[in-house]
Amino acid sequence: QLYCEMAAPAPVAASLKADAYGLGIERIAPALAAAGCEIFFVALPCEGIALRKLLPRVCIVVLSGADRVSAPLFIRNRLSPALNSLDQIAGWQHICAAGEDVEAAILHIDTGMSRLGLTPDEVSLLAAEPARLDGIRLQCILSHLACADEPDNAMNARQRNAFIAATAALEPATGRVARSLANSSGTFLGRDFHFDLVRPGAALYGINPVPQ
């Protein structure tokens, strides 16, 4: 409820990685869905498959993305891949071109977390060669804050500015799609960080997201 109040009018998604941070998705996922959550993020395809059995109608995003080996799992279980590299984009484009009935994908760009996502060089190449996204239906562009639990850390503003610049550069290729940057701590940084979707994780399960 607190996140819904802070983020409105942006919707609130939920991260359910690592079996809802060890609490068990069988208990947690239905409760979040009953509270109105319609978008869920997981780390791995196996987590997405388990979640789909519990929640047949929600959007489920797999942050590790899809490759040609795992793609049938995404198609069969209606999972949305986060596309983290040019190789993953090329693979998903091949699947879309084959006429498969697939969910809309997420474009993940790295603005400083250095864990997953398109590098600045890959973003520049994608912006210069928009045909790499032809045939791919996108629902969102996201990035992840590295230091959001430190409100005064200058990295937060740098990542926000990098995110805005990257999404602007990609807009001719992606069109106008939703943007998401704020995690549990990032939502507390204020509306400038909320964009079109916030995605708390650890804070939903009792972990204090900010020193205050």
Side-chain angles (χ1 to χ4, degrees), residues 9-59:
V12 179
S15 177
L16 278 176
K17 296 179 290 185
D19 198 27
Y21 292 73
L23 296 178
I25 64 167
E26 293 85 358
R27 297 167 55 210
I28 300 299
L32 288 170
C37 186
E38 298 179 343
I39 304 173
F40 292 82
F41 287 82
V42 297
L44 303 170
C46 59
E47 296 175 336
I49 293 168
L51 182 57
R52 176 59 73 207
K53 293 176 181 177
L54 296 168
L55 301 176
R57 296 182 180 85
V58 301
C59 172

Side-chain angles (χ1 to χ4, degrees), residues 16-212:
L16 278 176
K17 296 179 290 185
D19 198 27
Y21 292 73
L23 296 178
I25 64 167
E26 293 85 358
R27 297 167 55 210
I28 300 299
L32 288 170
C37 186
E38 298 179 343
I39 304 173
F40 292 82
F41 287 82
V42 297
L44 303 170
C46 59
E47 296 175 336
I49 293 168
L51 182 57
R52 176 59 73 207
K53 293 176 181 177
L54 296 168
L55 301 176
R57 296 182 180 85
V58 301
C59 172
I60 301 173
V61 181
V62 179
L63 289 169
S64 61
D67 55 31
R68 297 193 185 190
V69 174
S70 63
L73 299 176
F74 281 76
I75 297 167
R76 190 179 310 125
N77 295 280
R78 294 181 292 111
L79 306 177
S80 296
L83 303 176
N84 297 290
S85 68
L86 295 179
D87 284 345
Q88 286 190 346
I89 290 171
W92 196 248
Q93 185 181 52
H94 177 80
I95 291 162
C96 293
E100 297 285 0
D101 183 15
V102 298
E103 299 297 303
I106 307 290
L107 197 62
H108 189 176
I109 59 178
D110 177 26
T111 56
M113 186 72 175
S114 300
R115 185 169 64 189
L116 285 173
L118 296 163
T119 67
D121 287 345
E122 288 179 312
V123 170
S124 296
L125 182 58
L126 193 58
E129 300 178 6
R132 290 174 178 265
L133 287 171
D134 284 354
I136 296 177
R137 185 164 56 97
L138 292 175
Q139 61 173 300
C140 185
I141 302 176
L142 69 82
S143 189
H144 195 78
L145 293 164
C147 303
D149 56 344
E150 303 171 20
D152 297 327
N153 194 314
M155 183 70 170
N156 295 320
R158 287 200 298 270
Q159 283 194 260
R160 178 182 174 274
N161 292 338
F163 184 59
I164 291 172
T167 54
L170 290 171
E171 188 170 330
T174 63
R176 290 182 177 271
V177 296
R179 297 177 294 172
S180 179
L181 180 62
N183 53 3
S184 287
S185 302
T187 308
F188 284 87
L189 295 176
R191 292 192 177 276
D192 286 347
F193 288 81
H194 293 173
F195 293 95
D196 304 300
L197 178 73
V198 302
R199 339 180 287 276
L204 297 175
Y205 314 111
I207 299 173
N208 188 8
V210 289
Q212 299 90 333

